[in-house]
Amino acid sequence: MNKIVRPAKAPLGDGLPSVLIMCHSHPMETRGGAEIAALELFRGLKSRSGAAWFLGCAGSKTESRLGAPLTQPYGEDDYVYHPGAEFDYFKFANPDPNFPKALGKLVAELKPDIVHSHHFSRFGVESFAVIKRNSPNTKIVLSLHEFLAICNHHGQMVKTKSMHLCDRSSYSACSSCFPQYKARDFFLRKRYIQTFFADVDLFVSPSQFLADRFHEWGLPAEKLVVLENMPPVQNHGMVAEIDVALPQVAAETEVRPVAKRATRTVAAAPAKSAIAEKPGPAGKAVESAAAAESRPLRFGFFGQMSPLKGITVIIEAAQYLNKQGVTGATIEIHGDYSNQPPAFQEVVTKALDDAGQSIVYHGAYDNRDVHRLMRRMDAIIVPSTWWENSPVVIQEAFTNGKPVICSNIGGMAEKVAHGVDGLHFTASQPLSLARAIMELTEDPVRLAQLTAGVRKRMTTDQALDAHLRFYRSIMTSPVRVEA
Amino acid sequence: MAVPGNIESLAYCPSIGGWLVLGWIGFGWDAEGAQPEATLNFGGRLVVAEPIICVIDRPDVRKVGTGIVMFIPDQRDLKGMPHDLVLRRGDFAFSTPLVSAQQFDPQTALTHGRNLLAHATRSEEWQNLISLLERPLFTGPDTIESFDRPVFMQVDLAFVCPPSGLWLFGWMLDPFATIARMTLRCGGRSAVIDPREWISISRADVSSGFGEQFGGLSPKCGFLAYFPDVYLPGQAPYIEIETVYGEIGFKAMANVRSAGVDTIKDMLQRIDLRYDELVQGYDRVIGPAIEAINTFRLRNEVGYTRMDFGPRVASPRCSIIIPLYGRMDFMEYQLAFFAGTLSPDHEIIYVLDDPTRQRELEFLSASCYARFRRPFTLVGLAENLGYAPANNMGLKVASGEYICFLNSDVFPDESDWLEYMLQTAENDPKVGIVGALLVFEDETVQHDGCTYERLPEFGNWVFCMHPDKGMTSPKVLRVHEVGGVTGACMVMKAELARRVGGFDQGYVVGDFEDADLCEKVKTAGFSCMVDQRARLYHLERQSQGNQAASWRFNLTLYNAWRFQNRWVRNAERSLVLDEPEAVA
C-alpha cells in the first residue's frame, strides 16, 4: 500500500476557504447525525465569517415552487433542493433531469473552494460529476456516515435474513441477501457508484473502521482520511461543569490519514492507560456516586429501540440479571419503539415485562434533554448489533463524562477503549453484556476508574479548526503519495 | 375450331372446392385424346384447371349439342364472378362470356346438379362428379363421434399463419382404426392430413380419459400440425374424416385465431424434440409455421421516431447501435460509463424495441443527458420487432464510417475498447468483423470468439460454441481469428454491413443472427477477429434454464434450423467445424 504523506499541521492563516455544504436532508426537516454535523459545520464557518453556503434536500416541511428545483426559504446562503423524480436508492442515482442544471448553475456561480457533501443520497452520486463539470477547481469532500455505498441493506453490513454481521460485500453474497437482484446488478451498482466517487477528492470517515471498510471496497487509501464529525451543539454551561474533571486531548491528533489495520480488533483491548493500571489522583478521589449513596448502578440506553440498535440484547441481559437476583444494577431505557414493526413491538413489550426490576422503561425523550438524562446515569450502554460508525450517543456519553459499555465491533469498539473509558462485550451476546454490568456492580472502584478514564472530547471550536486545517490541506497542498 | 354453346348458371361451392357450371355446348368438343382444360378469367387473373365434365340430355339443344354439368376445381377463391370461360381440348376451343349466366348459391347449385346427373349417362366422369356432389356437407355440428365405430378428435388451438397457413394443436383417437382419410378443408381449399407429417405429442390427459372405455391407447395421441396453404379468409376451417366403411364425418374448429409472436411461444412450449425428430418436426411443422408468422409480422416497413439528446456528431467515426428491450436501466449504466471515456467522435444510437416503454425511456434519456452530458440518439420503433430488425433500423439511421453493434448488457471495462477494435478493423482490409473479449462480472470469459460444432442430440445440426466460457481471462492479450463473433459487441465497416443486408431478419428474438452475419461477411471474402485488448463486461442473462420443454430453447432450435438451411444444408461453402476430441 502507498505510504501517505501529509503536510504537517497547516497554520490557519487569514483567508478561509469558501465551502458549500450539502446534506441529503435539510436540518429544518430532520435531525440525524449527518444533518447535525453538516449544520454545525455551516454555523461554525459562518461564525468565523467565512463564505459558506448550505444546500439541503426538502422534505414534507418545505413547500416546493413549481418549476424551481432550488429555493431559499431559510435565508440567502441556504438552499433547498426539491427532488423532482423518484430517487433510485439502489445505485443512488437521481433521475431528476432538472437537478444537474440547477446544481451546475449554482456551483458555477458560487465557485466554492470546497463542496463538502454529507451524503450522496437524494442528490445522487452523479452530482459529483456535475460539480466538476461546472466548477472544475472546486474540491469535493464526501463524509461517509454508514456503509450505504457498499451495502444495500440500509448500509449496515448485516445479512438480511440471519441478521449476522457481514464482513465483506461480494456480488453473489449481496444477491443472496437480495434475491430480487442478481450478482450482475450488484456489479453494476458498485461500478455506477464508484464511477462517480472518482470525482470526489477526499472521503472523510469519522472512524478508522469505516475507512478500512471503504478502502477494502475499492476507495484509494490516499483519498481517505479519518476525521470525527462536528459534535452536536451543547448546553455550554453544563459541559463546562463536566469539563473540570476531564483530561484534555490534543485536537490535531483527530485528523489522521488512513493506515489500514492488519486485522479487525474486535475484542482486543488497547493498552491499559495509566489511569486503569494505577488509579491516579482523579481515580482515587472519585468514588462511585452509587456506592456512596448505596443505590443500584444506573445503566442508560439512549436511542431507537430497534433490533439493530441491540434493544433485545439489552432486554435479555436485564432478564438474566433479574433471574440471577442481581440487585445492584438497573438498566434504564430512553427511547421509542412505536415506529418498529408491530410484531417486534409485541416482543419488546413482553420482554420488558419479563425483565422485572432490572429494567426501567422511560419512553421517548427530547434530544435537548439528552445531557441532563445522561448525567443521571453511571454508564451508558451501546449494544448495537451492527457495526456502527461513530455513534453520536458515544460522543454524548463522553461529553457528559460517562463510560460506555458497548458491543466489541466496528466503530463502537474503536471509539471506546476497553478498560479505559468503557467496556466491550461480545456483540449480540446478552450474557456477555450482563457480565460486563456485573463486573461494575461487584467492583465499584472499577466504575470509578472508567469514569475517570473518559477524556474530554473536542469542543465545537476545536472540531471546526480541525476541519479548516483539513480543508486547507486539500487546497494548498494536494495529497502527495509516495510509493 | 370454335363451337357454339351457352353457360346458363354457375356457382362457387366451397364444400367441393370449385365451380359448378351448368349449360350446353356444341358437338365436337368431346374428341378423344387430349385432357380438357378450363380457364376462368377474373378480369386478368386466371384460374386454369382440369375440369370434370358430364354430358346430360337436353332436348332443347339436341340438334346443336349436349347439356353439360361441369366442375372446375378452384381452391383459391378469387372472390367475385369470372368474366368468361374458355374450354380447350386439343384443337377444340369453346369460349363464352359469363355476364349473362345466372349465379346460384352453392346449395341450390349442388341440388340442381345432382338432379340433372340423375338422368345422365353413366361414365367415369359421372361417377367422379356424383360422388363429389353427394358428399355430405359440413353444416357446423361435429359428426365423427356418431360413426358406428366412433373417432374422437379435438383441435384445441388453431392459428392462422398468414396468408394461408393453419397451425393446429389437438389430439385424435381412432380406437378401431377406422379412419381411411382425413382432410382439412377451408372454403374451397383442402389439404390431406397425414399423421406421419405431424409432431406427435403425449397427451396422457386424453388417453387416460378414454382408456377405460377403449383399453390401452397410446398417450402419443396429441399432435402439432401445420398446413401451409389451406386457409381462406372468411371461411371456417374444418376437418373431414372418411372411414374405411365410406362414412364421412366432420369436426369443427372453434376459436381460430391469427398467429403472432405469442403463438410461437404458445406452440413451442408444447414440444420437446430431440435427435432425428428435430429435422422432421422443424422441416414440416415448426419451421414453415414460424417462417410464415415472422414474414407476415415484418411484411411492412415499420415507422420510427428519432430524438437527439445533445448535438449530433458530425461525420462520426463509428456509430454504436444498441437495441433496448426489457431492462431500460442498462442504458443509464452504459451512458454513465461512456461519459468521459468514449471519444466524442463516435455516435451512440439506442433503438427502443418496445413501444410501450417509449415515454419512460424518453424521460430516462432526458435525465441521462442532463446528468452525464454524453450526446446520443434515441430511435423508437412503432412496433416490437426483435433483435435483427432493431439493429437494422439502427444501421439505417447510423452515419458512422464504422458500426459497432452492442448489446445493452455490455459494459466497458476501460476507455479504449472501441479504439482498439477500430484499429484492428482498419489495419487489415481483409478483416470484416472485429469482436471483443467479453467477461462476466467475476472476470471469467464470456466470449472470445465462436467455433462451430455438430450436436448429435439436436439432429446433428451445427451450433455456435463459446470456447473458454467461464474460464479465467487470458493473461497475454492478442488479436486472433475466429469462426464467428457475438453480436453482443462487434465492429465492422458500415458499408460492408449494408452491403450484406445487415442482420437476417428471419431469425426470431435473438439467436444466430450474429453467426449468420459473420457467415455473410466471410462469404464476401473477409475474416472475423477478436481483439482481446478490447475488454468489456457482458452480463449475459441466465434465463433459458434447464426445463426440457422451454419455448425459448425450442425457439433457439428454430433459429438453428434456419441457420442450417442457410449455411449448412446445400451451402456452397462448408463451415469449418471444431472437433473438440479426435474420433476413435
Side-chain angles (χ1 to χ4, degrees), chain A residues 129 133 191-192 194-196 198-199, chain B residues 317 320 331-348 350 372-375 406 410-420 422 535-536:
Chain A
R133 273 205 305 269
R191 284 242 150 193
Y192 192 83
Q194 289 192 344
T195 294
F196 295 102
D199 286 319
Chain B
R317 191 157 161 242
I320 304 176
M331 179 182 82
E332 189 181 4
Y333 284 112
Q334 277 187 331
L335 288 171
F337 302 154
F338 288 153
T341 64
L342 192 71
S343 159
D345 298 345
H346 310 311
E347 71 171 350
I348 302 172
Y350 281 97
F372 315 133
R373 303 294 289 178
R374 179 54 170 92
L406 193 73
V410 173
F411 304 92
D413 183 32
E414 38 72 48
S415 51
D416 288 331
W417 62 277
L418 187 54
E419 306 309 317
Y420 288 133
L422 289 168
R535 188 174 184 278
L536 299 96

Side-chain angles (χ1 to χ4, degrees), chain A residues 453-464:
Chain A
V454 175
R455 295 172 304 167
K456 183 176 183 280
R457 312 325 276 183
M458 277 198 288
T459 63
T460 308
D461 256 7
Q462 287 170 326
L464 185 61

Side-chain angles (χ1 to χ4, degrees), chain A residues 222-276:
Chain A
E222 63 272 18
K223 278 195 172 188
L224 273 161
V225 294
V226 177
L227 172 66
E228 187 58 88
N229 281 327
M230 290 289 289
V233 72
Q234 294 155 8
N235 175 332
H236 291 281
M238 184 197 68
V239 172
E241 190 187 321
I242 300 161
D243 278 352
V244 182
L246 303 178
Q248 289 285 334
V249 62
E252 62 266 30
T253 61
E254 294 292 328
V255 182
R256 58 183 197 274
V258 162
K260 193 177 178 323
R261 289 184 292 202
T263 53
R264 180 155 62 79
T265 54
V266 276
K272 284 180 184 171
S273 75
I275 299 168

Side-chain angles (χ1 to χ4, degrees), chain B residues 108-380:
Chain B
T108 311
L110 290 170
T111 309
H112 199 39
R114 277 197 295 268
N115 291 340
L116 290 173
L117 286 178
H119 309 289
T121 319
R122 303 309 191 250
S123 66
E124 196 184 331
E125 283 81 13
W126 181 88
Q127 191 58 51
N128 287 342
L129 197 51
I130 197 78
S131 65
L132 196 63
L133 301 193
E134 285 185 347
R135 177 184 281 284
L137 291 183
F138 171 67
T139 53
D142 297 346
T143 54
I144 55 173
E145 287 171 33
S146 45
F147 288 153
D148 275 352
R149 298 186 165 184
V151 169
F152 304 95
M153 186 176 216
Q154 186 67 46
V155 177
D156 299 314
L157 297 170
F159 287 104
V160 175
C161 303
S164 56
L166 261 183
W167 201 2
L168 308 182
F169 171 77
W171 54 267
M172 192 270 289
L173 283 172
D174 179 17
F176 306 103
T178 51
I179 294 180
R181 193 171 15 257
M182 291 189 284
T183 311
L184 176 60
R185 294 188 182 277
C186 183
R189 294 192 185 183
S190 65
V192 172
I193 303 176
D194 181 352
R196 288 168 304 182
E197 303 263 313
W198 70 30
I199 297 173
S200 294
I201 293 171
S202 276
R203 287 291 296 266
D205 57 325
V206 175
S207 58
S208 65
F210 283 87
E212 233 168 73
Q213 199 182 344
F214 299 104
L217 297 170
S218 163
K220 279 230 161 191
C221 58
F223 63 81
L224 189 63
Y226 184 66
F227 305 91
D229 196 23
V230 72
Y231 181 74
L232 272 171
Q235 304 290 330
Y238 61 93
I239 291 167
E240 180 187 285
I241 294 180
E242 206 173 326
T243 68
V244 290
Y245 308 109
E247 298 158 299
I248 290 178
F250 301 103
K251 179 71 202 173
M253 251 174 259
N255 221 354
V256 179
R257 285 171 285 169
S258 23
V261 174
D262 290 346
T263 309
I264 297 176
K265 180 177 169 183
D266 197 1
M267 291 304 211
L268 287 182
Q269 70 192 1
R270 299 166 193 280
I271 55 164
D272 183 19
L273 303 177
R274 288 296 180 276
Y275 298 94
D276 280 352
E277 298 170 336
L278 218 60
V279 180
Q280 174 169 332
Y282 279 79
D283 276 354
R284 292 182 181 163
V285 181
I286 311 292
I290 295 181
E291 264 182 351
I293 293 172
N294 201 46
T295 306
F296 184 74
R297 192 173 73 88
L298 300 175
R299 70 197 180 284
N300 296 325
E301 186 102 331
V302 167
Y304 67 91
T305 58
R306 174 182 176 142
M307 297 176 72
D308 293 314
F309 293 87
R312 282 193 195 184
V313 182
S315 44
R317 191 157 161 242
C318 182
S319 300
I320 304 176
I321 296 169
I322 309 164
L324 277 174
Y325 184 81
R327 291 272 304 255
M328 299 296 132
D329 62 327
F330 283 162
M331 179 182 82
E332 189 181 4
Y333 284 112
Q334 277 187 331
L335 288 171
F337 302 154
F338 288 153
T341 64
L342 192 71
S343 159
D345 298 345
H346 310 311
E347 71 171 350
I348 302 172
I349 299 167
Y350 281 97
V351 183
L352 174 62
D353 191 21
D354 183 353
T356 65
R357 314 276 303 264
Q358 176 89 18
R359 278 281 166 275
E360 174 197 346
L361 194 66
E362 282 166 4
F363 177 83
L364 185 62
S365 298
S367 167
C368 284
Y369 182 61
R371 277 183 275 166
F372 315 133
R373 303 294 289 178
R374 179 54 170 92
F376 63 97
T377 295
L378 175 63
V379 171

Side-chain angles (χ1 to χ4, degrees), chain A residues 320-337:
Chain A
Y320 177 79
L321 294 174
N322 195 38
K323 231 181 270 174
Q324 296 295 307
V326 175
T327 53
T330 311
I331 295 170
E332 305 195 15
I333 310 279
H334 296 270
D336 192 6
Y337 62 104

